[in-house]
Amino acid sequence: MIQIVDKRQCSGCTACEHICPQHCIAMVADEEAFLYPKVDESRCIDCGLCDKVCPVLSPIGQQKPLAAYAVRHGDADTLANSTSGGMFMLLAKFVLAQQGIVFAAKYNADWSVSHAAAMDEAQLELVRGTKYLQSELNTTFVEIKQHLKAGKWVLFVGTHCQVAGLKNYIRRPYDTLICVDIFCYGVPSPFVWQHYLAELTQRLSVNGDKATIKEIKFRDKQIGWRYNGVKIGGTLQPSGKSFTLAEKTGDNLYMKAFLSGLANRPICGECPFKDHKSGSDLSIGDFWGIQRIHPELDDEKGVSAVFVHTDKGQEVMKQLNPLQLIEVKPADIYAGNPYFLVPSPTKPARQEFFDALHATNDFSKVVEQFTKKNMLQRVKHRIAKLIHWT
Ligand SMILES: Cc1cc2nc3c(=O)[nH]c(=O)nc-3n(C[C@H](O)[C@H](O)[C@H](O)COP(=O)(O)OP(=O)(O)OC[C@H]3O[C@@H](n4cnc5c(N)ncnc54)[C@H](O)[C@@H]3O)c2cc1C
């Protein structure tokens, strides 16, 4: 029976919940709003299936990349509205053209994030774009299995751990399932996200107005792909005025907490799925450092990095029609994305950070306090940035 004694051993993938023949496992949120399985022991028959499908307890194993590419979508609008080089839209349109279903992450009404099915172009718009918090899977795995049994094409896009969980849950191979993992720095806490949004709306609600958020976009490319921004827009009622908050990603308080290693799920700091261990057909991310090997693509519009892990992945790549498809060496991708190979570090003060957030409504003060750099750290950070971007 699955028992989470150490939270660094669970990514919350839901495979155990859905495989249980007794339906006696529920995903329950902890004080950081991360979901963990909880077994109703009175109904458990000790069949052991939950342990068998857990991708942490039953790892998938390492895949050797068959090929690596730099990819860019040919449509200027699609590229501008994609986080990286638009690889997701190339794949999604291919699957929709087969009358298939795309499962990817979308915002809910309260700006939490969960996976949802997209069966047409309008639904596809909702699951595009990066959302930097852990996405809830709900019944996604069960729905995917039903569609596969009905002979449908399915594209699943998620983090390494979500793909590994799906692969273990599905168990047998399906020719029509394409699993794609996104390069992942880690998944931040939905509690931290809601805390940030609560403070933001409170700050914007002045002179009797109440702020309502209508749009959130991480990695907005208006100021460029590398030095991108966070854009949050909405309206103030009853005055009817609108507001837009546009900040550089590095200045946004929520992103500061995320990128400092304060807010991620405990397992992220020891992620066992790094270095091609998710079982995916393809891995997609940002091609950081493209300017070093293909300076002609260095125009701030965005480039995707792609690893191909399976023959099916290679077949799918042949069906896509990107503007640029350039074969590269895996090492060219690793150079700009070291956290594809190893977990991103967790800040030692992570627990104190969460304790402080639980004790106050002052998100800004807590984040500033925990992300303040001393002189030596500032110099090191600047040097690291210079090395990264040149
Ligand atoms: C939490 C997180 C951390 C990331 N860390 C890195 C990194 O360190 N390095 C790097 O190169 N790239 C990272 N990425 C991936 C990158 O931001 C882009 O999502 C990816 O390159 C795809 O961009 P695109 O242009 O192909 O498509 P887009 O149209 O931008 O599509 C993004 C895809 O990611 C899915 N997605 C969005 N949010 C989530 C989520 N919370 N959980 C699961 N799936 C989601 C969307 O549904 C969509 O399928 C991260 C993404 C997330 C969500």
Side-chain angles (χ1 to χ4, degrees):
M1 176 209 324
I2 206 113
Q3 268 180 324
I4 310 302
V5 180
D6 178 351
K7 288 188 173 171
R8 290 170 302 177
Q9 296 290 306
C10 176
S11 66
C13 76
T14 73
C16 59
E17 177 195 13
H18 297 307
I19 205 73
C20 176
Q22 292 292 97
H23 305 289
C24 69
I25 302 180
M27 300 301 290
V28 178
D30 72 353
E31 63 288 351
E32 297 174 354
F34 289 120
L35 298 176
Y36 292 90
K38 190 167 181 343
V39 182
D40 176 351
E41 293 185 28
S42 67
R43 286 162 52 214
C44 173
I45 52 169
D46 249 328
C47 65
L49 276 177
C50 48
D51 290 332
K52 272 199 197 120
V53 293
C54 170
V56 175
L57 298 175
S58 307
I60 282 187
Q62 191 172 36
Q63 299 165 290
K64 192 174 161 4
L66 304 179
Y69 298 101
V71 178
R72 179 182 269 185
H73 203 291
D75 177 68
D77 270 357
T78 307
L79 183 59
N81 288 305
S82 296
T83 308
S84 313
M87 185 62 196
F88 167 68
M89 284 302 269
L90 287 164
L91 290 163
K93 290 273 177 85
F94 165 73
V95 169
L96 288 192
Q98 322 302 312
Q99 272 73 54
I101 302 106
V102 176
F103 283 87
K106 87 178 225 299
Y107 286 117
N108 301 312
D110 64 353
W111 299 105
S112 61
V113 171
S114 50
H115 267 64
M119 300 193 195
D120 57 33
E121 305 250 338
Q123 291 174 340
L124 201 55
E125 284 303 311
L126 303 175
V127 298
R128 293 178 69 182
T130 268
K131 290 111 185 160
Y132 286 125
L133 66 148
Q134 185 162 36
S135 163
E136 287 190 20
L137 287 167
N138 301 321
T139 53
T140 297
F141 289 4
V142 178
E143 292 170 55
I144 289 178
K145 202 178 219 171
Q146 283 163 356
H147 287 302
L148 292 172
K149 280 186 174 165
K152 294 278 190 186
W153 277 86
V154 172
L155 169 66
F156 176 76
V157 183
T159 53
H160 310 307
C161 51
Q162 291 176 330
V163 168
L166 175 65
K167 293 289 285 190
N168 271 7
Y169 170 75
I170 296 282
R171 284 185 288 181
R172 60 158 274 210
Y174 284 89
D175 290 343
T176 54
L177 172 65
I178 307 167
C179 285
V180 176
D181 55 345
I182 45 177
F183 295 12
C184 181
Y185 184 78
V187 284
S189 145
F191 162 75
V192 175
W193 175 234
Q194 293 299 342
H195 210 305
Y196 165 72
L197 291 181
E199 190 197 76
L200 182 70
T201 42
Q202 200 184 8
R203 186 155 52 85
L204 292 166
S205 301
V206 284
N207 302 329
D209 267 338
K210 189 174 172 342
T212 306
I213 294 170
K214 303 269 186 196
E215 185 205 357
I216 298 182
K217 192 161 183 205
F218 286 105
R219 302 281 308 278
D220 184 42
K221 284 182 182 169
Q222 214 160 348
I223 50 170
W225 167 51
R226 279 190 272 174
Y227 299 101
N228 47 69
V230 177
K231 199 166 132 194
I232 302 184
T235 54
L236 299 166
Q237 294 299 344
S239 72
K241 288 182 194 153
S242 57
F243 66 85
T244 305
L245 180 98
E247 285 176 308
K248 284 184 188 157
T249 292
D251 293 337
N252 177 271
L253 284 171
Y254 175 74
M255 289 305 289
K256 270 189 178 182
F258 171 36
L259 296 172
S260 307
L262 286 165
N264 284 344
R265 192 173 173 110
I267 194 175
C268 298
E270 295 175 22
C271 177
F273 310 106
K274 293 281 169 182
D275 199 3
H276 308 279
K277 292 188 196 117
S278 70
S280 68
D281 297 298
L282 301 164
S283 296
I284 65 175
D286 289 288
F287 208 131
W288 301 133
I290 189 70
Q291 68 277 15
R292 287 191 283 260
I293 51 168
H294 284 286
E296 74 280 10
L297 296 182
D298 184 22
D299 56 8
E300 288 296 324
K301 291 183 179 154
V303 184
S304 287
V306 180
F307 285 117
V308 180
H309 292 125
T310 60
D311 292 340
K312 193 201 304 175
Q314 197 64 286
E315 275 311 305
V316 171
M317 289 299 290
K318 282 189 202 150
Q319 308 292 321
L320 310 179
N321 194 17
L323 179 65
Q324 268 108 12
L325 177 73
I326 303 168
E327 182 144 17
V328 297
K329 294 195 279 294
D332 296 332
I333 298 180
Y334 303 146
N337 248 313
Y339 298 123
F340 184 84
L341 296 176
V342 294
S344 61
T346 301
K347 208 163 185 146
R350 181 187 181 283
Q351 188 56 52
E352 286 85 343
F353 170 70
F354 274 94
D355 291 345
L357 277 186
H358 277 108
T360 172
N361 287 332
D362 200 338
F363 186 86
S364 318
K365 192 172 154 202
V366 174
V367 173
E368 293 296 8
Q369 179 193 339
F370 281 85
T371 56
K372 211 181 328 164
K373 290 186 167 66
N374 62 33
M375 182 68 98
L376 183 64
Q377 285 169 324
R378 280 209 293 273
V379 172
K380 273 189 184 166
H381 183 70
R382 288 232 167 129
I383 293 171
K385 239 175 146 180
L386 276 174
I387 294 169
H388 187 69
W389 296 126
T390 49

